[in-house]
Amino acid sequence: RRTKELLMCKDLPPATSTASNLLAIVKPFSSQTAFYYPSAFLTAIVIGISSFVYVILWIINMRQDIDSKLEALKQKAVAALFKQIVNMGEQFYQAVGQDLPDEANQFMYNQLELVSSWFDELVAAVQLALMIGIVVAAVIVIICMI
């Protein structure tokens, strides 16, 4: 009975919707918003989280840019090596009058594949290092925000 009387108390604030609670965040601190965080604190949280998301997206974009530049560097190196192979074959033809045998070119093509695989491994290592760095930094920032 006492519980019923307490529950029937008219001094309790009326139930409010989530939308009105969210709108109350931007209002100055008052008796209606007494059990909610002050709007300045919530604004700081929103700005902090927004900044965090922006920086993460910027870093991911930077990672993709680095990947594309490393791929362009790989293509440039492979093209230069291939040009050297072709140039050597042309010089051999001018000097001897015959094409360079396939056995002589095989070593150069093996070296070309080796250089290409080095660039692929470099790109993979940079991607892994950046992802580890992004995750570690994100975890540290999230722990600091808590």
Side-chain angles (χ1 to χ4, degrees):
R1 187 161 149 218
R2 175 80 177 137
T3 307
K4 188 175 181 182
E5 289 174 5
L6 287 173
L7 290 176
M8 299 303 261
C9 181
K10 303 265 188 218
D11 294 338
L12 292 175
T16 56
S17 68
T18 304
S20 62
N21 286 337
L22 290 175
L23 289 175
I25 290 173
V26 296
K27 294 180 182 176
F29 190 71
S30 67
S31 61
Q32 292 176 338
T33 58
F35 296 103
Y36 298 100
Y37 288 115
S39 57
F41 182 71
L42 289 175
T43 303
I45 289 174
V46 168
I47 290 172
I49 291 172
S50 300
S51 301
F52 175 72
V53 169
Y54 173 77
V55 168
I56 290 292
L57 292 175
W58 182 74
I59 289 172
I60 289 171
N61 187 28
M62 182 182 70
R63 178 184 158 267
Q64 292 170 346
D65 190 39
I66 289 171
D67 291 347
S68 66
K69 287 184 181 181
L70 286 174
E71 184 64 31
L73 184 63
K74 172 190 165 187
Q75 294 301 327
K76 189 175 180 180
V78 167
L81 289 173
F82 190 72
K83 184 178 177 183
Q84 286 295 98
I85 293 170
V86 170
N87 187 22
M88 192 172 72
E90 288 175 359
Q91 288 179 359
F92 185 84
Y93 183 78
Q94 288 175 358
V96 178
Q98 294 180 356
D99 286 335
L100 196 60
D102 289 339
E103 294 82 24
N105 286 334
Q106 189 59 39
F107 171 76
M108 293 178 281
Y109 287 118
N110 289 342
Q111 293 301 310
L112 185 66
E113 289 176 14
L114 182 65
V115 168
S116 180
S117 69
W118 287 344
F119 273 101
D120 291 338
E121 290 172 5
L122 176 66
V123 169
V126 168
Q127 286 177 346
L128 180 64
L130 284 173
M131 285 307 294
I132 289 172
I134 290 169
V135 169
V136 168
V139 167
I140 290 171
V141 169
I142 290 171
I143 288 172
C144 290
M145 291 178 94
I146 294 176

